Amino acid sequence: QVQLVESGGGLVQPGGSLRLSCAASGFTVSNYAMSWYRQAPGKERELVARMPKIGTTTYADSVKGRFTISRDNAKNTVYLQMNSLKPEDTAVYYCNAVSTRGTWNYWGQGTQVTVSS
């Protein structure tokens, strides 16, 4: 059974850091394009970071230099390291996996990140 389980969200003060984890089961993350999206209240879901199976990792302009996506193949897990967090980073963060030809598209349940003093 395919599953993506996010964890690591929470409440953090502006300027702080969090690391989100996305544990995958039922497929191998190294064979998929792995991404993090976020959705703030009243806004559309937006792409935060994307790590293709092969190629260059890309980031939204709003998080460049602050967020880093990475993958641990041994743990079949993808991470999102978030530094210098801002209140506008507050959102539900979702992990996404897409197969090479787009045949399979999986989503996690989301994890809440709140940046507030």
Side-chain angles (χ1 to χ4, degrees):
Q1 182 179 358
V2 171
Q3 213 172 6
L4 290 172
V5 179
E6 299 102 332
S7 61
L11 173 64
V12 63
Q13 291 187 343
S17 298
L18 282 175
R19 188 178 79 155
L20 305 183
S21 299
C22 172
S25 57
F27 71 101
T28 303
V29 297
S30 60
N31 290 333
Y32 281 66
M34 300 299 301
S35 301
W36 286 95
Y37 285 76
R38 67 186 180 187
Q39 187 166 20
K43 296 187 177 181
E44 293 187 355
R45 191 173 295 190
E46 63 172 353
L47 177 65
V48 175
R50 181 177 183 273
M51 175 180 283
K53 176 181 176 181
I54 299 173
T56 304
T57 297
T58 56
Y59 297 90
D61 287 343
S62 59
V63 308
K64 280 181 182 176
R66 300 188 298 122
F67 290 12
T68 303
I69 187 173
S70 62
R71 182 174 58 207
D72 185 330
N73 293 336
K75 295 183 178 180
N76 211 33
T77 298
V78 175
Y79 303 96
L80 184 68
Q81 178 66 44
M82 305 186 295
N83 299 327
S84 301
L85 283 160
K86 304 175 181 180
E88 50 264 44
D89 295 318
T90 296
V92 178
Y93 283 71
Y94 297 91
C95 182
N96 172 256
V98 179
S99 59
T100 302
R101 297 182 180 181
T103 305
W104 307 106
N105 191 337
Y106 307 127
W107 290 91
Q109 83 288 351
T111 185
Q112 176 70 47
V113 171
T114 302
V115 184
S116 175
S117 55

